[in-house]
Amino acid sequence: MSDRRSAILDAAIRVIARRGVRGLRVEQVASEAKVAVSLLYYYFDNRNGLVRATLEHANERAATTVRTAERGTGREKAESSLLAELDDADHVRDTSVVWGEVLASAVFEPELRAQLRAASETWSDLVAEAIAEGIADGSIRGDVDAKACAERLTALVDGLSARWLAGVATRERARELLAAAIARELNAEPAAQAR
């Protein structure tokens, strides 16, 4: 991906994090990226193309976060990649906002659904791989269905993230609930609450 296209997508993530998908204006993204509006149309054809590309870019960022949990047991990798989605870093928060916004928009914009489904499956598959690794290395009990477990836990992250971002729950409470759910799903003790 070109540096300029990537910079535009980073700008789109910031704009969506501030204004939501419904409030996204191509002119605002161009201003944020310090480029001409025509360049956005060159790369993305239209606003919907920009939104779809922004979702893809946000998911690539999230996948990078998941992949950084490369050390330790499979259980440790699964747990750290899930809890990383509730990190307090600005880029994690912004990516979560984009995901939640596009998820909500897909209710009314069916053309986003296939891409959203694929992105969700990719994330779930990454977590399932870590769970399967944990089953193989003995850090997760052997009767866990890795795919179903990953689907439940990633769906829980989506819900807890939405509550955190909406101010319904604190980030700390969301992490505490997620750590307890991970422990129950994987039959292990919850990680230290202070992470």
Side-chain angles (χ1 to χ4, degrees):
M1 175 184 315
S2 76
D3 289 343
R4 186 165 278 183
R5 185 176 190 275
S6 183
I8 291 168
L9 292 172
D10 287 339
I13 286 173
R14 291 190 301 273
V15 170
I16 291 172
R18 286 193 310 264
R19 303 185 59 86
V21 169
R22 289 167 219 71
L24 176 74
R25 302 291 175 264
V26 173
E27 297 78 14
Q28 292 168 332
V29 174
S31 175
E32 180 84 16
K34 297 177 178 42
V35 300
V37 171
S38 59
L39 190 60
L40 272 73
Y41 289 112
Y42 169 78
Y43 282 118
F44 308 107
D45 291 332
N46 55 40
R47 181 184 176 281
N48 284 342
L50 175 61
V51 171
R52 285 192 299 275
T54 302
L55 173 62
E56 185 176 311
H57 188 64
N59 287 329
E60 288 168 3
R61 279 176 150 191
T64 300
T65 301
V66 170
R67 288 187 185 103
T68 59
E70 297 280 327
R71 295 189 184 150
T73 65
R75 182 190 184 283
E76 290 167 340
K77 291 176 189 178
E79 181 178 40
S80 63
S81 65
L82 289 161
L83 287 168
E85 296 299 319
L86 297 171
D87 193 76
D88 61 355
D90 287 343
H91 74 279
V92 172
R93 182 193 176 285
D94 290 352
T95 300
S96 292
V97 169
V98 169
W99 178 261
E101 278 290 306
V102 175
L103 189 63
S105 294
V107 172
F108 305 104
E109 299 178 39
E111 65 275 4
L112 293 173
R113 293 177 188 168
Q115 183 182 8
L116 197 55
R117 187 178 307 108
S120 182
E121 287 172 2
T122 298
W123 183 39
S124 187
D125 288 347
L126 288 169
V127 174
E129 287 173 21
I131 293 170
E133 185 179 326
I135 293 167
D137 70 24
S139 61
I140 296 173
R141 67 181 206 274
D143 64 340
V144 170
D145 178 336
K147 185 149 181 66
C149 182
E151 286 182 61
R152 285 189 298 273
L153 290 172
T154 56
L156 179 60
V157 170
D158 289 343
L160 290 172
S161 180
R163 286 179 175 219
W164 161 49
L165 294 170
V168 175
T170 65
R171 186 184 71 82
E172 292 74 20
R173 179 63 176 155
R175 288 176 62 86
E176 177 184 311
L177 291 169
L178 179 58
I182 293 168
R184 283 189 186 91
E185 285 280 344
L186 306 180
N187 196 25
E189 292 300 315
Q193 306 283 335
R195 280 191 183 174

